Amino acid sequence: MNIRKPERDELPSLTQLWLGTGFAVAVAAVLVVAVVLPAERGLDMTGIGERLHLTRMGQIKTAMAEPDAPTDGRPQQQREISLTLLDGEGQEVKLDMLKGYIANYSWHTDGGAVYHDTHGDPYANPDIYISYSTGEAVTEDSGQITAVYGGHHGWYWVNNGDVPVTITLQASGEFIELLVK
Protein backbone atom coordinates (compact mmCIF):
# COMPACT_ATOMS: atom_id res chain seq x y z
CA MET A 1 0.00 0.00 0.00
CA ASN A 2 1.19 3.49 -0.80
CA ILE A 3 -0.69 5.12 2.07
CA ARG A 4 1.47 6.89 4.62
CA LYS A 5 0.78 6.04 8.25
CA PRO A 6 0.12 9.28 10.23
CA GLU A 7 2.47 10.29 12.98
CA ARG A 8 1.19 10.37 16.57
CA ASP A 9 1.18 14.18 16.71
CA GLU A 10 -0.96 14.31 13.53
CA LEU A 11 -3.79 12.32 15.14
CA PRO A 12 -6.65 14.11 16.98
CA SER A 13 -6.26 14.41 20.72
CA LEU A 14 -8.64 12.75 23.17
CA THR A 15 -10.22 16.17 23.86
CA GLN A 16 -10.79 16.74 20.14
CA LEU A 17 -12.39 13.31 19.80
CA TRP A 18 -14.73 13.98 22.74
CA LEU A 19 -15.66 17.41 21.33
CA GLY A 20 -16.33 15.93 17.89
CA THR A 21 -18.42 13.14 19.37
CA GLY A 22 -20.37 15.60 21.51
CA PHE A 23 -21.02 17.81 18.49
CA ALA A 24 -22.22 14.82 16.45
CA VAL A 25 -24.57 13.71 19.26
CA ALA A 26 -25.97 17.26 19.58
CA VAL A 27 -26.61 17.52 15.82
CA ALA A 28 -28.27 14.07 15.83
CA ALA A 29 -30.53 15.09 18.75
CA VAL A 30 -31.58 18.28 16.97
CA LEU A 31 -32.37 16.32 13.80
CA VAL A 32 -34.41 13.75 15.72
CA VAL A 33 -36.47 16.45 17.47
CA ALA A 34 -36.84 18.79 14.48
CA VAL A 35 -37.19 16.32 11.58
CA VAL A 36 -37.56 12.64 12.54
CA LEU A 37 -40.27 12.95 15.22
CA PRO A 38 -42.50 15.21 13.08
CA ALA A 39 -42.06 13.02 9.97
CA GLU A 40 -42.47 9.65 11.70
CA ARG A 41 -44.78 10.32 14.68
CA GLY A 42 -46.41 13.70 13.96
CA LEU A 43 -44.79 15.18 17.10
CA ASP A 44 -43.54 18.71 16.47
CA MET A 45 -42.06 20.30 19.58
CA THR A 46 -40.14 23.01 17.70
CA GLY A 47 -42.51 24.04 14.90
CA ILE A 48 -39.84 23.24 12.32
CA GLY A 49 -41.65 20.08 11.22
CA GLU A 50 -44.75 22.12 10.39
CA ARG A 51 -42.70 24.60 8.35
CA LEU A 52 -41.04 21.73 6.48
CA HIS A 53 -44.46 20.07 5.92
CA LEU A 54 -43.36 16.93 7.79
CA THR A 55 -45.83 16.96 10.70
CA ARG A 56 -48.92 16.11 8.63
CA MET A 57 -47.04 13.23 7.03
CA GLY A 58 -46.19 11.83 10.46
CA GLN A 59 -49.76 12.22 11.68
CA ILE A 60 -51.06 10.28 8.68
CA LYS A 61 -48.43 7.56 9.19
CA THR A 62 -49.43 7.23 12.84
CA ALA A 63 -53.13 7.01 11.99
CA MET A 64 -52.47 4.39 9.31
CA ALA A 65 -50.40 2.27 11.72
CA GLU A 66 -53.45 1.26 13.79
CA PRO A 67 -54.42 -2.43 13.55
CA ASP A 68 -56.82 -3.57 10.84
CA ALA A 69 -60.43 -4.21 11.73
CA PRO A 70 -61.26 -7.84 12.51
CA THR A 71 -62.29 -9.77 9.39
CA ASP A 72 -65.15 -11.59 11.11
CA GLY A 73 -68.32 -9.80 12.14
CA ARG A 74 -67.87 -6.75 9.92
CA PRO A 75 -71.09 -4.75 9.67
CA GLN A 76 -72.68 -4.87 6.21
CA GLN A 77 -74.99 -2.00 5.46
CA GLN A 78 -76.79 -0.40 2.58
CA ARG A 79 -78.04 3.17 2.76
CA GLU A 80 -79.49 5.76 0.42
CA ILE A 81 -79.80 9.42 1.24
CA SER A 82 -80.87 12.51 -0.69
CA LEU A 83 -80.05 16.08 0.20
CA THR A 84 -80.68 19.41 -1.46
CA LEU A 85 -78.08 22.16 -1.60
CA LEU A 86 -79.11 25.75 -2.17
CA ASP A 87 -76.85 27.99 -4.25
CA GLY A 88 -73.49 28.42 -2.50
CA GLU A 89 -74.34 25.82 0.15
CA GLY A 90 -72.08 22.90 1.16
CA GLN A 91 -72.84 19.62 2.91
CA GLU A 92 -70.77 16.72 4.23
CA VAL A 93 -71.83 13.07 4.54
CA LYS A 94 -69.48 10.53 6.11
CA LEU A 95 -69.30 6.80 6.75
CA ASP A 96 -67.95 5.77 10.14
CA MET A 97 -65.40 3.09 9.19
CA LEU A 98 -62.65 1.10 10.88
CA LYS A 99 -59.29 0.61 9.17
CA GLY A 100 -59.64 -1.91 6.36
CA TYR A 101 -63.41 -1.55 5.95
CA ILE A 102 -64.55 -1.31 2.32
CA ALA A 103 -67.61 0.56 1.06
CA ASN A 104 -68.97 1.00 -2.46
CA TYR A 105 -70.70 4.22 -3.37
CA SER A 106 -72.52 5.95 -6.16
CA TRP A 107 -73.97 9.45 -6.17
CA HIS A 108 -75.62 11.66 -8.74
CA THR A 109 -77.29 15.03 -8.89
CA ASP A 110 -80.65 15.94 -10.41
CA GLY A 111 -78.75 17.63 -13.23
CA GLY A 112 -76.93 20.51 -11.57
CA ALA A 113 -73.16 20.33 -11.22
CA VAL A 114 -71.36 20.48 -7.85
CA TYR A 115 -67.84 20.58 -6.47
CA HIS A 116 -67.01 17.39 -4.57
CA ASP A 117 -64.20 16.13 -2.35
CA THR A 118 -64.19 12.46 -1.34
CA HIS A 119 -61.92 12.18 1.70
CA GLY A 120 -61.39 10.65 5.13
CA ASP A 121 -60.20 11.88 8.51
CA PRO A 122 -58.99 9.65 11.37
CA TYR A 123 -60.61 9.34 14.78
CA ALA A 124 -57.30 10.22 16.44
CA ASN A 125 -56.82 13.56 14.66
CA PRO A 126 -59.74 14.95 12.64
CA ASP A 127 -57.58 17.93 11.61
CA ILE A 128 -55.75 15.75 9.09
CA TYR A 129 -57.34 14.02 6.14
CA ILE A 130 -56.58 11.99 3.06
CA SER A 131 -58.27 12.95 -0.20
CA TYR A 132 -59.51 10.10 -2.37
CA SER A 133 -60.83 12.28 -5.24
CA THR A 134 -62.04 15.78 -6.02
CA GLY A 135 -63.85 17.37 -8.91
CA GLU A 136 -65.27 20.67 -10.16
CA ALA A 137 -68.66 20.88 -11.89
CA VAL A 138 -69.45 17.16 -11.44
CA THR A 139 -72.90 15.58 -11.74
CA GLU A 140 -72.04 12.03 -10.59
CA ASP A 141 -69.33 9.82 -9.16
CA SER A 142 -68.98 6.21 -8.06
CA GLY A 143 -66.28 4.00 -6.67
CA GLN A 144 -64.98 2.25 -3.61
CA ILE A 145 -63.51 3.58 -0.39
CA THR A 146 -61.05 1.41 1.52
CA ALA A 147 -60.49 3.01 4.91
CA VAL A 148 -56.74 3.48 5.33
CA TYR A 149 -57.38 4.33 8.98
CA GLY A 150 -60.31 4.23 11.39
CA GLY A 151 -62.35 7.37 11.08
CA HIS A 152 -64.95 9.17 8.99
CA HIS A 153 -64.72 8.69 5.23
CA GLY A 154 -67.07 10.31 2.77
CA TRP A 155 -68.04 13.29 0.69
CA TYR A 156 -68.21 17.06 0.79
CA TRP A 157 -70.28 18.79 -1.86
CA VAL A 158 -70.69 22.48 -2.66
CA ASN A 159 -73.32 23.88 -5.00
CA ASN A 160 -71.53 26.64 -6.89
CA GLY A 161 -74.52 27.16 -9.19
CA ASP A 162 -77.41 29.56 -8.80
CA VAL A 163 -80.23 26.99 -8.49
CA PRO A 164 -80.81 24.26 -5.86
CA VAL A 165 -79.24 20.85 -6.58
CA THR A 166 -80.42 17.53 -5.12
CA ILE A 167 -77.76 14.85 -4.57
CA THR A 168 -78.68 11.19 -4.10
CA LEU A 169 -76.03 8.97 -2.49
CA GLN A 170 -76.11 5.18 -2.33
CA ALA A 171 -73.54 3.46 -0.09
CA SER A 172 -73.13 -0.22 0.66
CA GLY A 173 -70.51 -2.31 2.37
CA GLU A 174 -68.63 -2.23 5.65
CA PHE A 175 -69.42 0.81 7.75
CA ILE A 176 -70.74 1.42 11.20
CA GLU A 177 -72.96 4.41 10.55
CA LEU A 178 -73.80 7.06 7.91
CA LEU A 179 -73.41 10.57 9.33
CA VAL A 180 -74.81 13.81 7.88
CA LYS A 181 -72.68 16.66 9.16
Side-chain angles (χ1 to χ4, degrees):
M1 294 271 170
N2 292 333
I3 300 173
R4 182 179 72 79
K5 189 174 181 180
E7 297 296 324
R8 187 164 180 80
D9 61 337
E10 295 175 323
L11 297 174
S13 69
L14 191 56
T15 302
Q16 290 172 323
L17 288 173
W18 278 112
L19 286 174
T21 302
F23 180 74
V25 168
V27 168
V30 168
L31 288 174
V32 165
V33 170
V35 177
V36 175
L37 286 177
E40 294 297 323
R41 298 284 181 234
L43 301 173
D44 190 9
M45 296 173 261
T46 64
I48 294 172
E50 187 68 36
R51 283 187 226 110
L52 295 175
H53 304 287
L54 299 173
T55 305
R56 184 169 185 269
M57 179 175 66
Q59 291 168 333
I60 291 172
K61 280 182 177 181
T62 301
M64 291 174 68
E66 70 186 39
D68 286 332
T71 55
D72 58 334
R74 290 187 176 194
Q76 293 290 325
Q77 299 211 37
Q78 186 167 343
R79 295 282 308 272
E80 181 174 312
I81 186 172
S82 292
L83 51 103
T84 300
L85 301 178
L86 303 176
D87 58 325
E89 186 177 28
Q91 183 71 55
E92 191 167 41
V93 175
K94 296 281 187 85
L95 302 176
D96 186 357
M97 302 173 73
L98 297 180
K99 180 180 179 184
Y101 276 15
I102 299 171
N104 297 302
Y105 70 90
S106 174
W107 63 263
H108 64 275
T109 69
D110 60 355
V114 295
Y115 164 82
H116 86 90
D117 181 3
T118 305
H119 63 281
D121 48 81
Y123 297 127
N125 190 345
D127 294 333
I128 63 171
Y129 69 93
I130 187 168
S131 184
Y132 297 114
S133 68
T134 61
E136 298 281 339
V138 180
T139 58
E140 64 182 31
D141 188 33
S142 62
Q144 188 176 74
I145 295 174
T146 301
V148 295
Y149 43 66
H152 300 114
H153 304 264
W155 309 267
Y156 177 67
W157 297 283
V158 177
N159 177 4
N160 289 323
D162 52 5
V163 295
V165 174
T166 299
I167 300 168
T168 302
L169 166 70
Q170 296 173 331
S172 64
E174 303 164 338
F175 57 93
I176 298 164
E177 183 178 6
L178 185 138
L179 309 164
V180 179
K181 296 186 168 205

